[in-house]
Amino acid sequence: MAQAANRNTAIGGLFWTALGSGATAASQFALYFVLAHYLRPHEMGLAAISLVVTNIVLAWSDVGLSSAIIRETELTIDQLSTLYWSTLIAGAILCAVQYCASGPIAGMLGDARMEPLIKLGAAAFPIASVGAPYQALLQKQLRFRKLSVVECSASIAGAAVGICAAVFGYGAASLIYGMLFAYFSKSIGLLAVGLSYWHPRLVLRGSGLGPLVRFGAFQLGDRTLQSANFYVDQIVTSSLLGAQSAGYYSFGSNLATTPVFRINAIANRAALPLLCKAWKDRQLVKRGYLELLRLVSLINFPLLLALAALAPTFVPLLFGQAWTPSVTIVQILALASVARAISNPVSVLLLAWGRADIGFIWNLSISAYCLLLTWAGATVAGVVGVATAQMAASFTLGAVLYFTLVRRVLGACGREYFAAFLPALIAAAIMAVSEAVAQSEMPSDSSVQIRLAVALALGIVYLIAIWFLAPKCRQDLVHVVTWFRNRHHDAQKRS
């Protein structure tokens, strides 16, 4: 009975996660579609690199305490309140630090035009910190549906504001305005939902928080290094190659990495509290982790490999000939993101284990490797060299991840580990080859609508291949349909 309840909770979380991921990815695509037509490459570069600075510092916005809230089984009201006010104070301090340091940061990145954009981005910290503890509490309580609704609404609202700003001529600042409004909408939504569960008290006490602070410190360092390693390519591109090259690169990077970043972030958020609750049963944790790996593979692989196959046709058609230099970057980074999609969920496993220190050490140990490889790629072959360096780093690190981290936590499970993502990889590769061949054989004057129809029709190839290659996916589909039908039946009974 308990196992069925856990399965229903997991299926519900994954269902709402998938729904939220789809809506978020669609809104982000719409935003970049409009920005590509209203912003010039150097403006896109300025906005993207300024946003990178904010995203790296945002790792500090909750002082690493959100994951500690999720993992800790018993917290008093005073401890929760102290963590809440500490997060708000940290947000205010980080806002002031980034605002004051915007000039030197812009100088380091090689373009003084970034300074006002970095100053504007500093407002994200106090806005995001208001809702961050409530997001952690809702995750802890497995309120996936409400979290998904808040995430989707905020992402759509932010994209709408960014689009309007671009249309009305705000240029490079459009992306920053969209990001700020997305965080504002998310914090308002989290407050609206979270205040019905808990109101913080006006207390600020450090007693009993030592273990949480230590865990949060390692989580903070781990997240900072993850962000730095993730964005090192865009930072190096801006510093060495200038805003124009950074614009082409950031455009390609956003198309190729947004699916992994958005989908995995929401999936990891749903999986973390479930793995924390199940941690005493190591076999259950292993099944949950492999299920997470299978989910992100099933969603990410077809998107990424189809993007790599279709980029030469659809980037110029949809975004304009001005972005043709980004095609090769999109293709290389889409392949790099395949490895990232597999590697990313291990952070959830380490957090559920309570070993944020291991994640910190891992990311610290690979930082120099990623930086040197990216620097060498930029020096030798410009933006294409940077993208190639990212692909090489992603695949080499992904290859050793199982032996260095996953096996250490779950024990020897190589066959199950690789079986979790290989069927999706094979099916997506079959689909991508079919897409590339079909597009190359079509007449050059074929309309966008016809090309899109062919691309969507060939997506059925992926579904058919998955049906035969992955029996567990068929079982998961049956569980999802059963869960959804039961929810609908319960709703009818209540009405």
Side-chain angles (χ1 to χ4, degrees), residues 408-431:
R408 179 175 179 180
V409 182
L410 299 179
C413 58
R415 178 177 292 182
E416 298 163 283
Y417 176 77
F418 290 103
F421 63 82
L422 278 178
L425 184 59
I426 294 170
I430 293 171
M431 180 205 65

Side-chain angles (χ1 to χ4, degrees), residues 130-170:
V130 171
Y134 283 106
Q135 177 174 311
L137 282 174
L138 291 173
Q139 283 179 251
K140 187 183 183 77
Q141 296 170 0
L142 310 180
R143 308 285 180 177
F144 298 126
R145 182 178 65 83
K146 292 182 178 181
L147 273 174
S148 180
V149 170
V150 170
E151 288 269 1
C152 291
S153 303
S155 181
I156 293 170
V161 168
I163 289 170
C164 291
V167 170
F168 285 101
Y170 284 87

Side-chain angles (χ1 to χ4, degrees), residues 233-410:
D233 51 346
Q234 296 195 48
I235 294 172
V236 169
T237 301
S238 176
S239 300
L240 293 184
L241 305 176
Q244 178 100 349
S245 295
Y248 288 126
Y249 187 88
S250 62
F251 174 81
S253 178
N254 282 314
L255 280 184
T257 61
T258 294
V260 171
F261 183 77
R262 297 291 180 182
I263 292 169
N264 280 33
I266 299 176
N268 290 348
R269 205 171 295 155
L272 178 59
L274 292 171
L275 293 181
C276 288
K277 289 177 181 294
W279 190 254
K280 292 182 180 179
D281 186 343
R282 194 57 59 92
Q283 287 301 312
L284 184 58
V285 170
K286 183 170 75 171
R287 287 200 301 271
Y289 174 73
L290 295 176
E291 186 68 36
L292 173 63
L293 200 59
R294 185 159 53 247
L295 171 74
V296 297
S297 301
L298 285 169
I299 298 174
N300 280 310
F301 288 176
L303 292 176
L304 293 169
L305 293 183
L307 180 63
L310 299 175
T313 300
F314 282 99
V315 167
L317 281 176
L318 294 178
F319 300 100
Q321 293 295 330
W323 296 101
T324 300
S326 295
V327 168
T328 304
I329 298 167
V330 171
Q331 291 180 299
I332 296 172
L333 291 181
L335 296 177
S337 294
V338 169
R340 287 176 174 172
I342 301 169
S343 305
N344 180 264
V346 77
S347 60
V348 176
L349 194 61
L350 296 176
L351 289 177
W353 190 22
R355 297 302 304 271
D357 56 324
I358 294 178
F360 172 76
I361 293 169
W362 165 261
N363 281 293
L364 182 63
S365 64
I366 67 174
S367 294
Y369 171 69
C370 293
L371 177 59
L372 290 174
L373 199 60
T374 306
W375 194 280
T379 304
V380 172
V383 289
V384 174
V386 173
T388 305
Q390 287 298 296
M391 183 173 66
S394 298
F395 276 96
T396 53
L397 295 173
V400 302
L401 188 72
Y402 166 75
F403 300 99
T404 55
L405 295 179
V406 176
R407 185 171 179 171
R408 179 175 179 180
V409 182
L410 299 179

Side-chain angles (χ1 to χ4, degrees), residues 39 88 109 137 212 380 435:
L39 269 62
L88 262 62
L109 293 173
L137 282 174
L212 289 179
V380 172
E435 298 275 19

Side-chain angles (χ1 to χ4, degrees), residues 418-451:
F418 290 103
F421 63 82
L422 278 178
L425 184 59
I426 294 170
I430 293 171
M431 180 205 65
V433 171
S434 302
E435 298 275 19
V437 171
Q439 295 294 331
S440 65
E441 293 297 323
M442 292 180 68
S444 57
D445 58 349
S446 299
S447 67
V448 176
Q449 291 82 359
I450 293 176
R451 290 184 178 275

